[in-house]
């Protein structure tokens, strides 16, 4: 099998070992010629990819995607942020075959991930789990057959989450006061660069950037 990888974030690129998996990495969506890539019996793997892939390409090629949630839960955008804010700490990352619908398709592999710590810690977990998924793919000789045999309709369960915007990273003093200490830490730590950074809106209309949060207490009150 010859793989073609699509990744642009550092954690995603670091998960790909081209010396072990023959292939190349595409990082810039503006420079991809989808027509040229078609009909060459490649396996296309998308890791942390944020752009829409042409539906005709997905329908006709073997396209796989790494998604950092236990699909079908947390389908859609910003899966890390949504899970952390909801209090999810231990879950799974999923490798699945793409369809023209969002995060819909047969799941080929799942590996555990931990969402505690800083956003850098979480990126490290994503690199590790994506590597494991790629190792699983590398020993599968019948990827297409496995996908066809596992027709899983992920639309039947699991909510489709929208990608979080910078406006959704803003919190008011009233909202902050209503949160537990753990909820405050989770809201702040998952919304750091390169994502929209958490900000506190003060009563005079000004904003304070919340640059980080560390939970060193076992008290969840």
């Amino acid at each position: 099998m010859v793989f073609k990888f699509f990744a642009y974030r550092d954690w995603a690129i670091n998960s790909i070992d081209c010396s072990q998996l023959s292939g190349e990495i595409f990082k810039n969506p503006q420079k991809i010629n989808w027509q040229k890539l078609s009909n060459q019996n490649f396996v296309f793997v998308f890791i942390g990819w944020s752009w829409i892939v042409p539906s005709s390409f997905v329908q006709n090629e073997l396209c796989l995607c790494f998604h950092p949630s236990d699909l079908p839960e947390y389908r859609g955008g910003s899966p890390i942020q949504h899970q952390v804010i909801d209090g999810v700490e231990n879950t799974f990352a999923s490798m699945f075959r793409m369809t023209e619908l969002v995060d819909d398709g047969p799941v080929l592999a799942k590996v555990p991930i931990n969402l505690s710590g800083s956003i850098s810690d979480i990126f490290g977990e994503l690199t590790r789990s994506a590597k494991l998924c790629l190792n699983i793919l590398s020993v599968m000789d019948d990827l297409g057959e496995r996908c066809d045999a596992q027709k899983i309709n992920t639309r039947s369960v699991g909510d489709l989450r929208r990608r979080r915007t910078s406006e959704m990273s803003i919190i008011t003093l009233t909202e902050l006061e209503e949160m537990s200490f753990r909820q405050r830490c989770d809201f702040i730590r998952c919304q750091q660069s390169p994502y929209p950074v958490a900000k506190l809106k003060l009563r005079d209309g000004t904003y304070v950037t919340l640059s980080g949060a560390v939970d060193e207490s076992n008290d969840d009150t």
Side-chain angles (χ1 to χ4, degrees), residues 2-49:
V2 177
F3 291 89
K4 300 291 184 181
F5 299 100
F6 299 80
Y8 69 101
R9 295 200 186 280
D10 288 342
W11 69 261
I13 294 172
N14 291 339
S15 72
I16 303 167
D17 185 352
C18 288
S19 66
Q20 298 295 324
L21 296 170
S22 58
E24 61 181 307
I25 303 175
F26 295 89
K27 302 176 183 179
N28 189 338
Q30 305 301 324
K31 296 183 179 181
I32 297 173
N33 186 329
W34 298 106
Q35 185 175 3
K36 184 177 180 180
L37 289 173
S38 299
N39 303 315
Q40 299 190 51
N41 295 318
F42 296 137
V43 178
F44 301 96
V45 184
F46 297 80
I47 305 175
W49 194 251

Side-chain angles (χ1 to χ4, degrees), residues 72-103:
E73 300 301 323
Y74 294 97
R75 297 168 53 235
S78 307
I80 294 300
Q81 286 70 30
H82 285 303
Q83 289 176 96
V84 172
I85 290 173
D86 286 352
V88 176
E89 185 169 309
N90 291 292
T91 183
F92 290 86
S94 306
M95 183 71 77
F96 68 99
R97 181 169 186 175
M98 297 166 62
T99 72
E100 67 275 15
L101 301 174
V102 177
D103 299 331

Side-chain angles (χ1 to χ4, degrees), residues 21-215:
L21 296 170
S22 58
E24 61 181 307
I25 303 175
F26 295 89
K27 302 176 183 179
N28 189 338
Q30 305 301 324
K31 296 183 179 181
I32 297 173
N33 186 329
W34 298 106
Q35 185 175 3
K36 184 177 180 180
L37 289 173
S38 299
N39 303 315
Q40 299 190 51
N41 295 318
F42 296 137
V43 178
F44 301 96
V45 184
F46 297 80
I47 305 175
W49 194 251
S50 298
W51 294 277
I52 297 296
V53 181
S55 59
S56 59
F57 186 85
V58 172
Q59 290 171 358
N60 294 304
E61 307 297 332
L62 181 51
C63 298
L64 309 180
C65 183
F66 174 84
H67 187 78
S69 80
D70 188 5
L71 289 176
E73 300 301 323
Y74 294 97
R75 297 168 53 235
S78 307
I80 294 300
Q81 286 70 30
H82 285 303
Q83 289 176 96
V84 172
I85 290 173
D86 286 352
V88 176
E89 185 169 309
N90 291 292
T91 183
F92 290 86
S94 306
M95 183 71 77
F96 68 99
R97 181 169 186 175
M98 297 166 62
T99 72
E100 67 275 15
L101 301 174
V102 177
D103 299 331
D104 173 271
V107 176
L108 296 171
K110 287 190 178 185
V111 297
I113 55 173
N114 180 274
L115 301 179
S116 61
S118 67
I119 197 67
S120 295
D121 296 327
I122 294 174
F123 285 160
E125 273 290 282
L126 297 186
T127 296
R128 181 193 62 81
S129 58
K131 281 183 178 180
L132 288 175
C133 283
L134 291 177
N135 287 339
I136 294 172
L137 293 182
S138 68
V139 298
M140 290 183 179
D141 296 326
D142 55 349
L143 276 176
E145 293 178 10
R146 287 174 183 263
C147 290
D148 291 338
Q150 299 179 43
K151 293 295 185 182
I152 300 174
N153 182 3
T154 58
R155 286 166 290 168
S156 61
V157 285
D159 293 332
L160 180 63
R161 301 298 187 98
R162 60 174 292 193
R163 186 176 301 280
R164 293 184 66 86
T165 63
S166 55
E167 289 76 16
M168 297 170 74
S169 297
I170 298 172
I171 190 170
T172 66
L173 279 172
T174 299
E175 291 170 330
L176 193 68
E177 291 167 353
E178 293 174 348
M179 290 180 172
S180 68
F181 178 74
R182 170 64 183 275
Q183 289 173 327
R184 295 171 188 170
C185 287
D186 287 345
F187 183 87
I188 296 170
R189 71 184 175 89
C190 71
Q191 299 187 103
Q192 299 296 309
S193 180
Y195 303 116
V197 177
K199 293 183 178 181
L200 175 64
K201 184 177 182 179
L202 303 178
R203 292 190 173 92
D204 64 0
T206 59
Y207 295 88
V208 174
T209 298
L210 304 176
S211 59
V214 177
D215 186 354

